[in-house]
Amino acid sequence: MKHFLAFLFCVLALPLAAQTYNYAGQSLLPADMYEAFLSLSTLRQEQEDLASRGFELSPQQQQTLSDYEQCLKGLIMVEVGFPSCKPCRMLVGEMNKADASGFSLLQQWASKGGRFYQLDWTKDSRSRGGENLSALWQVQSVPVLLFFKDGQLQARLNGFNAQNPKSSLDKIKAWIQSAGQ
């Protein structure tokens, strides 16, 4: 039942466009997506291990895997940072600025159907001990920007150079332009 409710939440509530920068909770990574990201890699690894021995996941595990994959379907960008991190705020602030086209990078991302979320690194790294997304995604410092397609990590940007923001923004723009292809 828990997985069915998570699935319904993802299907009905998450297909919204990219959300605006806000550590107060508006665009924080939803709990159901957090659980899907965390569990998906474990289930996929278990599926591979079983397949290598000629077995497969149980029907319940297969349904759970399918639910998580549906929840993470499409394009998702996650910024890992924390509220008092100046480079984190600068990165997302720059992504919110309109460029020569008149649209911000986050608006361009949303136009491709992409969703944008933030993960508060300070809360994540303390919340679950060794089992958290920061550990899974090997986040050692912030900000980190992660690009996913259908739950699979496609690209990552580590850090933000405030002295030369163009280099980081060009990488982000290139990934946004190639997303979905």
Side-chain angles (χ1 to χ4, degrees):
M1 182 67 172
K2 173 185 161 192
H3 299 295
F4 178 72
L5 292 174
F7 172 74
L8 277 179
F9 176 80
C10 290
V11 170
L12 299 174
L14 295 180
L16 303 173
Q19 298 179 21
T20 59
Y21 177 70
N22 179 2
Y23 270 107
Q26 182 178 336
S27 64
L28 292 178
L29 189 66
D32 293 353
M33 287 185 77
Y34 186 102
E35 184 65 33
F37 271 122
L38 199 59
S39 299
L40 190 60
S41 64
T42 303
L43 277 171
R44 284 182 176 155
Q45 182 62 48
E46 188 174 338
Q47 185 179 38
E48 288 175 20
D49 291 346
L50 287 171
S52 70
R53 293 182 279 148
F55 298 101
E56 53 185 51
L57 294 174
S58 71
Q60 182 181 3
Q61 289 173 311
Q62 289 174 353
Q63 183 60 51
T64 300
L65 179 64
S66 176
D67 292 347
Y68 286 146
E69 287 173 338
Q70 184 63 36
C71 183
L72 300 176
K73 191 169 179 66
L75 302 170
I76 300 171
M77 182 188 322
V78 178
E79 184 257 340
V80 183
F82 57 93
S84 61
C85 168
K86 188 174 180 179
C88 301
R89 290 191 320 266
M90 291 175 70
L91 169 63
V92 179
E94 289 293 325
M95 290 171 49
N96 269 314
K97 289 182 182 175
D99 63 9
S101 71
F103 296 98
S104 72
L105 291 175
L106 290 179
Q107 288 171 323
Q108 293 172 37
W109 181 247
S111 74
K112 293 212 174 229
R115 297 175 280 170
F116 174 74
Y117 299 101
Q118 293 171 297
L119 178 65
D120 186 332
W121 189 47
T122 58
K123 292 180 182 173
D124 183 51
S125 59
R126 287 187 242 147
S127 64
R128 296 177 174 238
E131 184 184 278
N132 58 54
L133 289 180
S134 297
L136 178 69
W137 293 335
Q138 300 175 351
V139 175
Q140 302 296 317
S141 62
V142 292
V144 172
L145 200 57
L146 303 159
F147 298 91
F148 296 90
K149 181 176 181 183
D150 297 330
Q152 297 284 342
L153 182 64
Q154 301 292 308
R156 78 184 286 146
L157 175 71
N158 294 313
F160 179 71
N161 184 348
Q163 307 300 68
N164 183 15
K166 187 174 177 350
S167 64
S168 297
L169 297 173
D170 285 347
K171 290 176 187 174
I172 297 166
K173 187 170 190 161
W175 200 87
I176 289 172
Q177 289 174 343
S178 69
Q181 297 178 359

